[in-house]
Amino acid sequence: MGWSFKLHGGLAAGLGAALLVLAGLTWLPGTLPLADSGRPVAAIAVSLFPIFIAAVARLILARADRRSMWLAFRCLPGKVQVALGALFLSGVVLATLGGAGEGNLQAAEMKAGRYFAFDTTPHGRGTTEVSQSQYMAVLESDQRSMFAIPGMLFVGAAYGALTAGELRRTELGASA
């Protein structure tokens, strides 16, 4: 496998792991101070899209289907397989538990000293006033989702880049 595939996969896996750790830290009491500004969301978006799109493009160029991707993944070293699997499963757990946090409330905000959240129940859609404890719970749940979902996408990009590299290696080996 070429160094660019390893670099791409390693970068994506590292960023995914960092975001999943941040998502896990949201289970601690209080909110993450860094997440209050819009900068993390912008940084995640700016880095996620090129890395993810490049991984998808590499898979398309390798003419990968599900079966060949699975076989290529199985050719990766065992530690890499375990690491990617563990990262993905932790992302699934964090995203699932984060989504089940405050039920139908999301997008917490504070206006004039009062706490509001968007209620997504079918017949009661709209912004509703909530208590401070509900506000904090919704805010933590939103942060958890903000980190867990892109973290899983980064891990998926690492999977794609590394399997594309393995497919490329076998393709070059077969043509030699």
Side-chain angles (χ1 to χ4, degrees):
M1 176 182 332
W3 64 269
S4 68
F5 291 97
K6 291 178 186 176
L7 180 66
H8 186 184
L11 178 65
L15 289 172
L19 287 177
L20 292 174
V21 165
L22 287 173
L25 288 176
T26 61
W27 288 106
L28 296 175
T31 59
L32 296 175
L34 179 65
D36 290 339
S37 69
R39 289 185 181 158
V41 175
I44 290 168
V46 165
S47 59
L48 177 63
F49 289 115
I51 291 173
F52 192 80
I53 298 300
V56 170
R58 285 182 159 194
L59 286 171
I60 291 171
L61 291 173
R63 290 182 225 93
D65 60 352
R66 285 188 306 204
R67 184 173 185 279
S68 64
M69 285 172 51
W70 177 248
L71 292 173
F73 178 72
R74 297 289 308 206
C75 291
L76 292 172
K79 290 180 181 180
V80 174
Q81 292 177 26
V82 169
L84 288 176
L87 285 172
F88 186 75
L89 286 177
S90 65
V92 168
V93 167
L94 286 168
T96 303
L97 293 177
E102 272 306 302
N104 298 326
L105 297 175
Q106 61 187 16
E109 61 183 340
M110 189 170 87
K111 294 180 188 173
R114 297 169 62 192
Y115 302 102
F116 296 94
F118 188 77
D119 189 1
T120 60
T121 55
H123 299 292
R125 291 187 76 90
T127 303
T128 182
E129 189 170 355
V130 294
S131 67
Q132 183 181 7
S133 62
Q134 281 182 312
Y135 167 79
M136 293 303 290
V138 171
L139 195 61
E140 289 175 356
S141 177
D142 287 349
Q143 286 182 352
R144 198 169 298 119
S145 298
M146 178 181 74
F147 292 127
I149 294 169
M152 286 176 30
L153 290 174
F154 272 121
V155 172
Y159 169 82
L162 293 173
T163 55
E166 202 54 36
L167 287 169
R168 175 86 175 165
R169 184 183 64 81
T170 58
E171 181 181 293
L172 291 175
S175 66

